[in-house]
Amino acid sequence: MPDMIPSDVFDQILNHIDDPIDILNFALSSKALYSVAVPRHLHYRDIRTPLYNPSLWASLYRKDDIRASHIHSLTILPDTVYDLMKTMIPCKDYDIRKRLDPNSTPYEPMIWDPDRGMDEYVEAEDSMISALERMVCLRRFAWYRVERPFFSGGNDLWTALRNLGTIEEIDIYEGNYHRRSSESPPITASSTFFTFLGLTTLKIRTDNFSIHGPNGPSLPLMLEYMLLNNLPDLEVLVLEIEVRNELDRTANVDHILQSAHWPRLRVLRFYGTSCRVAPLTRFLADHPSLEELALAKMMPGRLWPQLAANLPHDALPNLRHLECAPHQAAALLENLRPRLETLLGINLQTEVRDSNYFSFFDEIVFPSSREAAEFYERAEETRASSWRDLLLRGLERHRTITRLGLSLIHSVVEAAEFAVIAPQTSEIDIEFEANGRIPETELFSMYALFPALEVVHVYCLMMLPIGPLTPESWVPMNNRVQAFARACPRLRVIWAVDMKKLVIIRDDKDIKLCGVKWVIRPWTANEEPEARSGETVFGP
């Protein structure tokens, strides 16, 4: 039967299938379907490539090549994997794996040459914009290239994307690391970027933010207008901002919180922003659909007790993921129903320094630099935590939390306190203070206190070498894995550096005598406890 149906009919059917897994399942039902679904659709549904890829853009622009119309997602990657490492953004927040048709013409990555200039990159961006005109089913676009786009105005990248009329998701990272002096404006100052309509996902992470209002940094008016007027169906909003050349300043989002209403909003992440208590309380109470929430530390700053007092007790009934500072967690846990599963960014310090938690330039106008210096000096002094007891009470109520992220931890004893309060924790990420040196044996003993632990994030211990593991490097690594496995009988995954994770393969018969086997996989790979074909298995 499939042999009798024209391939263009299959193309129309497959274009309505977004998930690559569903495409593969469809393709495996017959040879005829496979011959259409895999080379035309599966290999082109999600394209991830650096900007400089001349053969790709040329082939997609050809009128006799219909594969451009089958692309649903396009990601422009950093020129090199090291570009993101030069920024403050954690690389694990981005999927920077290349994904191209395995049968496509290979290309040589272009190495930056200051004598040659930027002509090749400019030409590559022009070719990409031309190819975009044929991507009539494109739904998602991500720009992870640290350099901003070259073109501005009516013929730029954002105009081409908007003219498609199909874009639903935009994900932008704009770094403050540049190899050139560009005449094009930053993305957050581009008039054409803010003309999108009907997006369901908008993610903006920028280290290049410099927009100022009458009272300090604020969001661009064009961004506010787009958020409040053009995106009624928004489901995911991420605004992570570094204010350039402004020490300890944040962008105020009061107007957004006061005016926005997104009934479908599921994910909200703020960084580098500030607000007052009343707008934040109103917004959280009016958005019960929120499932994931990350708050910048100055939301609402030192007035956090008012958030605890004013937030309704039935607010955020669907929240499962909360990422914030400990004073914010104390305020929110006091009011939330005990359904939370993930809580990141907290600690239980008995003594705190205000400078670790608050940005005073957002709240106080100093008459002179001397008074500002004196105030900051006092902010470095330690004082008794005013939120510890409230946070402890909240953690005891929320026994549903199974994933914890701890920050500014000074000692093993401080981290171990969470094992008593939250013994149900199955995943933990502990960020010790930079100047703290803790013996490995003490760390393993601390993790052993969490009886349900299955996943640990220990980047400091699992420093994987570049290239294949040698006997000199994998032996100490294996010793640490075995120590973790003995300390945590349920351990499945160890998250490491360089976008890798270690997946444990247990054999209950031999584990007590010989230890566990393990494999190294990318962060984005599955965690099945079985070795796959071609994987190197380490251990006994």
Side-chain angles (χ1 to χ4, degrees), residues 515-529:
V516 298
K517 295 180 173 63
W518 50 280
V519 296
I520 300 174
R521 291 176 184 163
W523 278 345
T524 52
N526 68 52
E527 298 172 358
E528 291 298 321

Side-chain angles (χ1 to χ4, degrees), residues 467-504:
L469 283 175
T470 63
E472 293 77 14
S473 58
W474 83 260
V475 169
M477 182 77 69
N478 180 63
N479 290 339
R480 294 189 184 102
V481 172
Q482 302 304 329
F484 265 117
R486 289 191 296 271
C488 308
R490 297 185 180 184
L491 190 65
R492 299 185 297 104
V493 178
I494 302 173
W495 286 71
V497 295
D498 295 330
M499 296 175 284
K500 298 290 194 302
K501 60 186 174 185
L502 282 55
V503 177
I504 307 297

Side-chain angles (χ1 to χ4, degrees), residues 196-259:
F196 286 99
L197 300 171
L199 298 179
T200 59
T201 295
L202 178 62
K203 300 179 181 180
I204 300 177
R205 304 173 180 92
T206 175
D207 296 342
N208 208 31
F209 191 81
S210 59
I211 305 299
H212 285 72
N215 300 314
S218 61
L219 294 182
L221 292 178
M222 291 183 295
L223 174 58
E224 287 195 356
Y225 183 88
M226 180 174 73
L227 288 171
L228 297 177
N229 296 279
N230 296 350
L231 311 181
D233 297 323
L234 201 61
E235 298 178 13
V236 177
L237 175 61
V238 176
L239 291 178
E240 298 184 358
I241 295 167
E242 289 281 356
V243 179
R244 181 161 50 93
N245 300 328
E246 289 284 348
L247 179 65
D248 212 16
R249 296 300 299 268
T250 57
N252 186 273
V253 293
D254 275 349
H255 184 56
I256 292 291
L257 298 177
Q258 288 171 332
S259 306

Side-chain angles (χ1 to χ4, degrees), residues 117-183:
M118 304 301 297
D119 291 346
E120 289 89 346
Y121 285 110
V122 174
E123 184 177 344
E125 184 174 320
D126 187 42
S127 299
M128 177 194 65
I129 292 173
S130 297
L132 279 173
E133 297 174 3
R134 306 198 64 245
M135 299 182 196
V136 294
C137 290
L138 190 66
R139 300 177 184 176
R140 293 175 294 276
F141 179 81
W143 180 273
Y144 294 163
R145 188 171 185 259
V146 177
E147 299 273 355
R148 69 182 66 135
F150 292 94
F151 296 103
S152 59
N155 297 318
D156 66 355
L157 167 64
W158 314 119
T159 301
L161 289 169
R162 183 200 62 204
N163 288 343
L164 287 173
T166 59
I167 299 297
E168 299 172 356
E169 302 177 21
I170 292 285
D171 185 356
I172 299 298
Y173 171 66
E174 181 182 32
N176 196 23
Y177 161 70
H178 298 288
R179 297 188 180 97
R180 60 184 171 86
S181 57
S182 174
E183 296 181 358

Side-chain angles (χ1 to χ4, degrees), residues 63-357:
K63 298 294 190 291
D64 61 339
D65 191 333
I66 64 171
R67 291 175 295 183
S69 64
H70 302 158
I71 298 175
H72 286 198
S73 179
L74 175 63
T75 299
I76 304 302
L77 300 174
D79 296 336
T80 73
V81 69
Y82 302 105
D83 279 0
L84 271 184
M85 295 180 182
K86 296 172 184 174
T87 72
M88 299 302 290
I89 298 286
C91 290
K92 68 182 180 65
D93 291 350
Y94 298 88
D95 185 354
I96 57 174
R97 298 171 298 166
K98 292 180 184 177
R99 192 180 191 284
L100 296 165
D101 181 354
N103 301 314
S104 61
T105 304
Y107 71 98
E108 289 293 329
M110 191 171 72
I111 306 300
W112 166 244
D113 182 354
D115 295 328
R116 187 167 53 183
M118 304 301 297
D119 291 346
E120 289 89 346
Y121 285 110
V122 174
E123 184 177 344
E125 184 174 320
D126 187 42
S127 299
M128 177 194 65
I129 292 173
S130 297
L132 279 173
E133 297 174 3
R134 306 198 64 245
M135 299 182 196
V136 294
C137 290
L138 190 66
R139 300 177 184 176
R140 293 175 294 276
F141 179 81
W143 180 273
Y144 294 163
R145 188 171 185 259
V146 177
E147 299 273 355
R148 69 182 66 135
F150 292 94
F151 296 103
S152 59
N155 297 318
D156 66 355
L157 167 64
W158 314 119
T159 301
L161 289 169
R162 183 200 62 204
N163 288 343
L164 287 173
T166 59
I167 299 297
E168 299 172 356
E169 302 177 21
I170 292 285
D171 185 356
I172 299 298
Y173 171 66
E174 181 182 32
N176 196 23
Y177 161 70
H178 298 288
R179 297 188 180 97
R180 60 184 171 86
S181 57
S182 174
E183 296 181 358
S184 61
I187 295 174
T188 50
S190 168
S191 59
T192 53
F193 177 75
F194 298 117
T195 58
F196 286 99
L197 300 171
L199 298 179
T200 59
T201 295
L202 178 62
K203 300 179 181 180
I204 300 177
R205 304 173 180 92
T206 175
D207 296 342
N208 208 31
F209 191 81
S210 59
I211 305 299
H212 285 72
N215 300 314
S218 61
L219 294 182
L221 292 178
M222 291 183 295
L223 174 58
E224 287 195 356
Y225 183 88
M226 180 174 73
L227 288 171
L228 297 177
N229 296 279
N230 296 350
L231 311 181
D233 297 323
L234 201 61
E235 298 178 13
V236 177
L237 175 61
V238 176
L239 291 178
E240 298 184 358
I241 295 167
E242 289 281 356
V243 179
R244 181 161 50 93
N245 300 328
E246 289 284 348
L247 179 65
D248 212 16
R249 296 300 299 268
T250 57
N252 186 273
V253 293
D254 275 349
H255 184 56
I256 292 291
L257 298 177
Q258 288 171 332
S259 306
H261 180 62
W262 298 301
R264 299 183 182 179
L265 191 66
R266 298 181 293 102
V267 177
L268 179 66
R269 300 186 63 86
F270 281 118
Y271 176 82
T273 55
S274 59
C275 69
R276 293 177 293 118
V277 174
L280 179 60
T281 301
R282 187 209 71 82
F283 184 91
L284 296 180
D286 288 351
H287 288 80
S289 58
L290 275 172
E291 300 171 9
E292 178 179 332
L293 175 65
L295 293 177
K297 64 180 181 180
M298 292 305 294
M299 300 182 69
R302 291 182 302 159
L303 299 179
W304 66 268
Q306 295 182 23
L307 179 61
N310 296 330
L311 189 68
H313 284 279
D314 59 350
L316 303 173
N318 295 297
L319 194 67
R320 299 294 182 268
H321 178 115
L322 177 60
E323 194 168 340
C324 59
H327 59 282
Q328 296 163 313
L332 291 170
L333 293 183
E334 181 72 5
N335 295 280
L336 297 181
R337 298 175 184 177
R339 295 178 179 176
L340 203 63
E341 298 170 359
T342 297
L343 179 59
L344 307 180
I346 64 170
N347 60 58
L348 289 173
Q349 293 176 356
T350 55
E351 294 186 333
V352 298
R353 288 194 299 270
D354 282 349
S355 59
N356 285 333
Y357 302 100

